[in-house]
Every structure is written in C-alpha cells, then in structure tokens.
Amino acid sequence: MSRIVLASASPRRRELLSRFPIEFEVRPVDIDEDPGIGHDPQIVARRLARLKAEAARLIDETSPILAADTIVWFEGRSIGKPGDADEAWAMLQMLRGKIHEVVTAVAFMPEGRRSAIIRHPVTRVRLRDFSDAEIESTIARGEPFDKAGGYAIQDEVLRPIEAYSGCYCNVVGLPLWETLSVLRKGGVRVEGGRFLPECRECPYVQDVNATFVT
C-alpha cells in the first residue's frame, strides 16, 4: 500500500488522521467550494469531497487518496468561513443559542482507482447563548477565520457548544469511525488507533475496545 494522500490543508484533519497508525502526506487541492443555495447539505458535502478526491487523482494517478468536506447548515443555507471580523460577528450572533447541522463527507479513493467510497455523518449542534463580549474575545484571538460556522467545537476558551447529537469528530472536521470504515473498505489495513474520549459515545462506533486518549 502506497502512502495515503490527504487532499486537505486543514490542520484539524491532519491531526485527526494522525491518530491512525498509517503513513500519509498532505497535498491540498483547489476546487470551487461554493455549495449554492437551497440544496441538500448531505449531497453538497458528498459532491465536494468527491471533487477534491478527483482533483487529487488528476495529479497522482496511483496513490490512495482521502478527501473531506464539512458543511455547516442553518435555516436552508450553508454557513462558510467568515472572511473578516464583521462576518465572524454576524455569523456567531446568528448561530448562538440555536441548532444547526454539520455534515462532513469523507471520500476515499483506493490505490489506482477513480471511484470513491464516501460516508457523510450528520451531527446536530446547539450553540450556547454566549455573550457579545465572548464573541469579541474569540474574534480578537483569531479563532473564527478558518472554520465553517466561525467556531470550533474543541475551543476550550469559548466553549461554544451547549449540546450535540451525533459524531463529535464530524464537527471537528474528520469523523474518525467513518474514516476508519472507508479506509478498511478500500483495502487499507488499519489496526487500532488513538480515538478521542468523545468517540466512545459516537453512534458510528465500531470497536468498543479501542484506545481512547486525549
């Protein structure tokens, strides 16, 4: 098995994938990620993850390729990454205290193949009703600008989440159990891994005897 190509620039996806005992290298691809308006977020996430894998395949004809795309969906539209402080402020004010969905599609293209195995777990998230001062603080720290929805579920300072239902890692950006599933289905032997404590309660859990570490 060749080294896996991770077709993503996300440091969070890189950190999560490194929890598996596999070799990979990061090779981001550039595609049009505009999801459009009024479309099913699951279809959009799957399409964009597949397009990323296909773009990586055009560059590398043989290596196994893993790609992913995360959609934050609120009231019928995709909420992307804020471009500046004003957008981050408006986005966090809009989402606080409310429920939205996060879909991360994971696409794995096995070695030498051009078709992808795709999974797309959905997590429902309710943000807590944080204050204007807390929004100002997280913007000052620069936290929102590389994250869809303008927040990170793992942010220990803002602690934005009141409750969620589904896969925790899905909101971080790479659902570990579903990634394990597509890798194994694509012929990659993955023995074990260092799962997050939250993975123990994940609805997609595959091995209750896995190692759970922070």
Side-chain angles (χ1 to χ4, degrees), residues 38-41 44 71-79 100-102:
H39 301 294
D40 186 321
V44 172
I71 297 290
V72 173
W73 197 258
F74 178 67
E75 295 185 348
R77 65 189 180 101
S78 175
I79 309 299
H100 61 274
E101 289 186 342
V102 179

Side-chain angles (χ1 to χ4, degrees), residues 19 41 52 54 67 81 86 93 119 130-132 142 180 195:
R19 290 177 171 272
K52 290 178 181 179
E54 290 172 347
K81 301 172 185 176
D86 289 341
Q93 276 195 321
R119 297 286 185 274
F130 36 73
S131 67
D132 287 355
L180 179 64
F195 292 86

Side-chain angles (χ1 to χ4, degrees), residues 120-123 166-167 170 175 177-178 199 201-207:
H120 63 281
V122 180
T123 305
C167 174
N170 190 45
W177 289 119
E178 291 291 70
C199 294
E201 305 300 325
C202 181
Y204 304 98
V205 64
Q206 298 176 38
D207 182 0

Side-chain angles (χ1 to χ4, degrees), residues 95-118:
L95 292 175
R96 65 182 175 185
K98 298 184 177 67
I99 295 174
H100 61 274
E101 289 186 342
V102 179
V103 184
T104 296
V106 181
F108 181 62
M109 200 170 278
E111 188 169 354
R113 281 176 48 182
R114 293 185 176 273
S115 59
I117 304 163
I118 305 176

